[in-house]
């Protein structure tokens, strides 16, 4: 009688499991469903030689043994349950040559479970075109396994594979990694509680959401109640396991896998070669950024003007329709200008996200990450820091959360600390209005708009500050660290319109809703503070009439004088006057000072604040920009927003840490107040000094 063995085909989706299955079993197949669920169960028979008959099982694609779907859970249940009739005598882990890094994660996990495992590397037919070479023998000896390098397409390597399956009982069962390094203390306790069990298996059972009923009771006795770690801690440890495994894999592949990208011949490689080229890669990236910023300015001016005018008319409409009084004033002078201050930037923010998501969807963004890794390394950052830094152009909050996939703590902390320097969309409103006010409209070389270039410069300054700060932090932060880099290069594809549109809507909505709440609240508070005041405020009319009695002023001129007297003597005026000495050297008056202070809640409040301040007591409803342009510096008699004060403001906003939500996120991600407070003070102090120098030089 021939010996019968169970063989399970495992691997990531699309590595060629089904193709291998078909090659091994030919027509000897049976397709059914796993009991109780509708995942296809394919079984087949392969006669290895006269003495061995292999029952081959084609399992659903699995990325790791940390289940996240029913399909994956099914695979894990099978591997954890020795009593299952399908439990494999040997596991064949199928990987493919182009994604070995990701594929090997699953392999090391399966091997560490103590199941005899063969590593199949499929799609070897692609190696030549992609100029990939692999030291199979060295890889076999490091992983202590047997490897079959095969190609289903070309039908290569199957005799060797069958041979390896026949000799499965000669496979080494030694784990790739000592599981207890995941959490030494925790594993110690596990070992004491379950002295006779396999630790890694216990660990998987505890961390999985496995269906206990189906599993071997003896293994699990008491395990379910072994609750000495919280769920979130277990999740964290699971992530740590993945990181440790990737560190191991990276190290192994560094020694065995070579990709000679210079000589690869396929179209994707050709593209990659240009887009990640040491010189042209950067030129292309920079050119793309330039086009993006240019379009943001050119295309969005029409919808912006429309929104600006609509809010102005809305404000007017409320003012004339509602019965005059505090409520009418609150709506037309507080709420609507505040909302206008944010709505006006929706077109630009939407365009920015449109471009970012097209770049992401097309696969280009991963090339940028790869390209920038060369630079980032030199500054104590990881190639993966580029993702937060680019995401930071939208908002620092999701960007800081995106640092979670940086494995090295020091690199991650540095990335968190410097990300707020990148130009987030909240700065955009401030930049745009000030650029429009102080930078002339001309063109450079007849094509590039001066204003667009200025914006590009500001983005570069933000990025440069982040890099420089990282460099300094890298030198001064005393945290021991080991570094490595895992990135997947997806194939290029045409962006799917639906994905792009959804992304744009989601991000814009998040910005509008998130910022909108704060802005609305602050607009109302500011309006109250600007509309009421102590002492002189309440007798403003009499005082002004007394003062101007000898001058021959028109009614309008007197009204304006009264309004500005009131603003100066309101609560907010008092605060603003109080801080004026501190902001005067930067070229600002007390009104800008107020906007600056309120911006520490969130930067985008700046425009809304000025809009509110300039609206109070000002009956003719003009657009925000016109009001700002009309402001005169009482000392110099020149426009308040001129080149010197404008540049000084731009630089202040580029560097200062003005966002409460970001500080809260940094506190959460670093688990201490030390880092956010440090960010707040050092960044803002730096901003002050730079703005001061800029104004003093330019004035
Ligand atoms: P599964 O999801 O792991 O079952 O993978 P499949 O067997 O369905 O194969 C996924 C894709 O890879 C299919 O398009 C196959 O044609 C392709 N494929 C499988 N083996 C090879 C191979 O050896 N070389 C190449 N170039 N493609 C392969
Ligand atoms: Mg399949």
């Amino acid at each position: 009688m021939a010996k019968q063995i169970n063989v399970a085909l495992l691997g990531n989706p699309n590595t060629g499991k089904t193709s291998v299955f078909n090659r091994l079993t030919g027509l000897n197949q049976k397709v059914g469903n796993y009991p109780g669920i509708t995942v296809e169960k394919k079984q087949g028979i392969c006669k290895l030689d006269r003495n061995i008959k292999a029952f081959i099982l084609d399992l659903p694609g699995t990325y790791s043994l940390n289940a996240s779907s029913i399909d994956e859970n099914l695979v894990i249940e099978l591997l954890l349950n020795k009593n299952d009739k399908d439990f494999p005598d040997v596991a064949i882990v199928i990987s493919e040559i182009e994604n070995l890094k990701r594929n090997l994660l699953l392999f090391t996990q399966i091997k560490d479970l103590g199941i005899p495992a063969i590593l199949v590397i499929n799609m070897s037919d692609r190696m030549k075109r992609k100029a990939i070479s692999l030291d199979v023998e060295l890889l076999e000896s490091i992983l202590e396994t047997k490897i079959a390098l095969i190609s289903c397409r070309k039908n290569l390597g199957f005799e060797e594979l069958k041979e390896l399956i026949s000799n499965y009982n000669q496979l080494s069962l030694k784990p790739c990694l000592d599981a207890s390094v995941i959490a030494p203390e925790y594993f110690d306790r596990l070992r004491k509680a379950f002295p006779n069990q396999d630790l890694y298996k216990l660990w998987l059972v505890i961390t999985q959401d496995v269906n206990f009923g189906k599993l071997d009771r003896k293994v699990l006795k008491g395990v379910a109640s072994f609750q000495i770690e919280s769920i979130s801690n277990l999740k964290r440890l699971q992530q740590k396991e993945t990181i440790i495994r990737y560190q191991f894999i990276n190290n192994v592949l560094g020694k065995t896998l070579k990709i000679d990208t210079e000589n690869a011949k396929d179209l994707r490689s050709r593209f990659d070669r240009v887009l990640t080229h040491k010189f042209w890669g950067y030129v292309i990236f920079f050119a793309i950024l330039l086009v993006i910023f240019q379009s943001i300015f050119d295309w969005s001016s029409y919808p912006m003007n429309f929104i600006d005018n609509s809010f102005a008319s809305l404000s007017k409409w409320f003012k004339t329709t509602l019965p005059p009084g505090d409520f009418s004033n609150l709506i037309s002078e507080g709420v609507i200008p505040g909302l206008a201050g944010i709505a006006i930037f929706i077109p630009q923010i939407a365009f920015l996200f449109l471009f970012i998501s097209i770049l992401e969807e097309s696969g280009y963004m991963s090339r940028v990450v790869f390209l920038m890794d060369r630079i980032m390394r030199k500054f104590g950052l990881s190639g993966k820091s580029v993702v937060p830094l680019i995401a930071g152009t939208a908002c620092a909050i999701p960007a800081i959360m995106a640092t979670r996939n940086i494995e090295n703590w020091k690199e991650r902390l540095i990335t968190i600390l410097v990300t707020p320097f990148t130009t987030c969309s909240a700065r955009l409103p401030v930049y745009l209005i000030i650029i429009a006010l102080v930078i002339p409209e001309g063109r450079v070389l007849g094509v590039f708009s001066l204003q667009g270039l200025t914006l590009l410069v500001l983005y570069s300054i933000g990025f440069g500050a982040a890099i420089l700060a990282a460099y300094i932090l890298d030198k001064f932060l005393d945290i021991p660290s080991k570094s490595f880099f895992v990135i997947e290069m997806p194939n290029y594809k045409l962006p799917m319109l639906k994905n792009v549109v959804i992304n744009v809507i989601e991000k814009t909505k998040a910005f509008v809703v998130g910022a909108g709440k704060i802005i609305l609240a602050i607009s109302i508070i500011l309006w109250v503070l600007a509309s009421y005041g102590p002492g002189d405020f309440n007798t403003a009319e009499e005082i002004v009439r007394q003062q101007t009695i000898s001058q021959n002023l028109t009614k309008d001129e007197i009204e304006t004088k009264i309004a500005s007297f009131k603003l100066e003597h309101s609560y907010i005026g008092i605060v603003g006057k109080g801080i004026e000495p501190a902001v005067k050297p930067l070229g600002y008056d007390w009104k800008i000072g107020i906007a600056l202070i309120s911006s520490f809640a969130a930067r985008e409040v700046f425009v809304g604040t000025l809009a509110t301040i300039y609206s109070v007591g000002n009956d003719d409803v003009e657009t925000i920009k016109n009001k700002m342009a009309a402001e005169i510096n009482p000392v110099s008699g020149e426009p308040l927003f001129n080149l010197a004060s404008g540049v000084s403001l731009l630089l202040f906003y580029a560097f200062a840490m003005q966002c409460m939500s970001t500080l809260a996120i940094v506190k959460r991600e670093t688990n201490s107040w030390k880092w956010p407070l440090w960010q707040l003070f050092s960044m803002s102090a730096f901003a002050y000094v730079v703005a001061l120098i800029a104004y003093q030089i330019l004035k």
Side-chain angles (χ1 to χ4, degrees), residues 108 401 446 633 673 686:
T108 63
M401 294 199 294
N633 185 334
W673 276 112
F686 180 65

Side-chain angles (χ1 to χ4, degrees), residues 321-430:
T321 314
L322 289 175
D326 279 356
F327 181 70
S328 157
N329 289 342
L330 172 64
I331 297 291
S332 59
E333 295 172 2
V335 175
I336 292 179
L339 288 179
I342 178 144
I344 191 166
F345 299 105
I346 291 175
Q348 263 144 347
I349 284 159
F351 275 126
L352 181 69
F353 285 125
L354 176 72
F355 286 113
I356 288 184
S357 41
I358 288 175
L359 293 188
E360 268 174 357
E361 273 276 306
S362 64
Y364 177 66
M365 206 61 127
S366 315
R367 274 72 190 180
V368 173
V369 169
F370 179 78
L371 180 75
M372 297 309 255
D373 188 55
R374 292 182 200 143
I375 298 182
M376 306 305 262
R377 287 265 145 248
K378 302 193 177 103
F379 297 95
L381 293 165
S382 147
K384 286 194 179 162
S385 310
V386 176
V387 179
L389 290 181
I390 291 178
T393 57
C395 176
I397 294 163
I400 284 171
M401 294 199 294
T403 61
R404 284 182 190 170
N405 73 346
I406 299 175
E407 295 81 359
N408 176 313
W409 167 243
K410 185 176 177 183
E411 286 172 358
R412 181 166 167 226
L413 178 64
I414 294 180
T415 311
I416 290 176
L417 293 178
V418 306
T419 293
F421 275 121
T422 38
T423 305
C424 64
S425 47
R427 286 186 180 93
L428 204 51
V430 184

Side-chain angles (χ1 to χ4, degrees), residues 29-272:
Q29 302 182 359
K30 202 173 73 194
V31 179
N33 263 328
Y34 288 93
I37 41 175
T38 53
V39 174
E40 195 179 79
K41 179 172 187 168
K42 277 176 97 178
Q43 264 177 321
I45 295 169
C46 172
K47 272 213 150 76
L48 291 171
D49 57 38
R50 219 174 302 147
N51 299 319
I52 306 182
K53 195 168 157 188
F55 286 90
I56 315 255
L57 186 60
D58 184 19
L59 288 161
T62 316
Y63 285 109
S64 76
L65 293 186
N66 312 100
S68 55
S69 67
I70 293 189
D71 283 12
E72 289 192 333
N73 207 39
L74 183 138
V75 172
I76 292 151
E77 279 190 20
L78 174 66
L79 295 181
L80 289 179
N81 189 359
K82 275 212 162 88
N83 290 351
D84 193 308
K85 70 173 179 26
D86 289 331
F87 185 82
D89 296 293
V90 54
I92 300 191
V93 182
I94 301 185
S95 63
E96 48 110 349
I97 190 76
E98 285 188 75
N99 287 304
L100 263 188
K101 204 174 280 180
R102 170 156 52 81
N103 294 167
L104 282 180
L105 178 71
L106 179 69
F107 175 80
T108 63
Q109 285 188 315
I110 291 174
K111 187 149 196 304
D112 291 0
L113 261 185
I115 297 172
I118 296 170
L119 177 62
V120 166
I121 302 175
N122 189 21
M123 310 203 187
S124 62
D125 52 292
R126 292 194 178 165
M127 289 173 73
K128 199 168 166 203
R129 243 167 27 127
K130 300 255 166 175
I132 301 175
S133 65
L134 180 71
D135 188 340
V136 176
E137 268 170 40
L138 184 59
L139 190 58
E140 275 184 336
S141 77
I142 300 178
L143 294 176
E144 299 203 56
T145 186
K146 288 291 171 190
I147 294 177
L149 189 62
I150 66 162
S151 162
C152 293
R153 183 152 293 172
K154 296 252 166 88
N155 196 12
L156 293 172
F158 281 88
E159 287 316 310
E160 290 83 345
L161 176 58
K162 285 181 187 169
E163 179 99 24
L164 291 179
I165 301 174
S166 309
N167 299 321
Y168 75 94
N169 43 20
Q170 291 168 19
L171 289 165
S172 154
L173 296 180
K174 206 169 155 261
C176 294
L177 286 167
D178 172 14
S180 59
V181 299
I182 299 168
E185 237 182 278
Y186 183 67
F187 274 70
D188 259 1
R189 274 181 281 174
L190 267 183
R191 195 178 290 121
K192 288 198 186 101
F194 307 94
N196 300 319
Q197 298 295 342
D198 179 78
L199 282 183
Y200 187 59
K201 189 165 175 178
L202 275 176
W203 161 250
L204 282 181
V205 171
I206 292 167
T207 51
Q208 299 314 319
D209 186 20
V210 235
N211 181 346
F212 291 102
K214 273 194 195 164
L215 286 159
D216 188 330
R217 281 283 161 193
K218 257 187 265 154
V219 177
L220 292 166
K221 212 167 171 202
V223 167
S225 56
F226 196 73
Q227 283 276 354
I228 50 173
E229 290 286 341
S230 64
I231 298 281
S232 64
N233 243 349
L234 287 177
K235 281 231 155 73
R236 203 175 51 78
L237 288 176
Q238 260 187 343
Q239 285 170 2
K240 199 175 156 205
E241 180 192 341
T242 308
I243 290 168
I244 291 173
R245 286 187 188 280
Y246 270 131
Q247 269 167 342
F248 170 77
I249 292 165
N250 247 14
N251 191 3
V252 170
L253 289 182
K255 292 178 189 149
T256 54
L257 184 74
K258 301 263 169 318
I259 304 174
D260 179 11
T261 41
E262 297 300 312
N263 287 313
K265 292 190 178 56
D266 58 309
L267 196 61
R268 178 187 145 160
S269 307
R270 280 170 213 264
F271 263 113
D272 281 354

Side-chain angles (χ1 to χ4, degrees), residues 369-572:
V369 169
F370 179 78
L371 180 75
M372 297 309 255
D373 188 55
R374 292 182 200 143
I375 298 182
M376 306 305 262
R377 287 265 145 248
K378 302 193 177 103
F379 297 95
L381 293 165
S382 147
K384 286 194 179 162
S385 310
V386 176
V387 179
L389 290 181
I390 291 178
T393 57
C395 176
I397 294 163
I400 284 171
M401 294 199 294
T403 61
R404 284 182 190 170
N405 73 346
I406 299 175
E407 295 81 359
N408 176 313
W409 167 243
K410 185 176 177 183
E411 286 172 358
R412 181 166 167 226
L413 178 64
I414 294 180
T415 311
I416 290 176
L417 293 178
V418 306
T419 293
F421 275 121
T422 38
T423 305
C424 64
S425 47
R427 286 186 180 93
L428 204 51
V430 184
Y431 287 175
L432 294 172
I433 199 139
I434 294 175
I435 287 176
L437 282 173
V438 305
I439 306 290
E441 265 177 21
R443 303 227 159 211
V444 179
L445 304 174
V447 221
F448 306 113
S449 87
L450 211 51
Q451 299 187 335
L453 277 178
T454 309
L455 190 63
L456 184 63
V457 168
L458 283 166
Y459 272 79
S460 312
I461 284 181
F463 195 70
I467 296 274
L468 193 68
Y471 184 75
I472 296 169
L473 286 169
D474 186 40
K475 291 275 169 292
F476 286 98
L477 281 181
D478 191 17
I479 302 172
S481 65
K482 254 197 340 222
S483 170
F484 67 100
F485 181 54
V486 187
I487 174 157
E488 268 182 54
M489 293 269 199
N491 275 320
Y492 293 102
K493 62 178 176 26
L494 273 181
M496 266 172 61
L497 185 67
K498 195 174 159 200
N499 293 356
V500 171
V501 170
I502 288 177
N503 197 11
V504 170
I505 293 177
E506 248 175 28
K507 295 271 168 62
T508 312
K509 209 168 95 186
F511 173 77
V512 171
V513 173
K517 274 187 287 202
I518 298 178
I519 289 178
L520 193 60
I522 290 185
S523 310
I524 294 174
I525 294 172
L526 285 174
W527 177 85
V528 171
L529 291 178
S531 304
Y532 301 92
D536 282 353
F537 178 88
N538 300 304
T539 49
E541 283 197 30
E542 287 160 41
I543 296 173
V544 174
R545 282 189 207 288
Q546 286 286 315
Q547 285 171 350
T548 53
I549 205 143
S550 55
Q551 304 161 14
N552 214 352
L553 293 180
T554 65
K555 196 167 171 262
D556 272 0
E557 283 167 330
I558 293 177
E559 290 287 312
T560 313
K561 279 219 180 291
I562 293 174
S564 63
F565 183 91
K566 272 188 156 177
L567 190 54
E568 264 190 81
H569 292 82
S570 66
Y571 290 113
I572 203 161

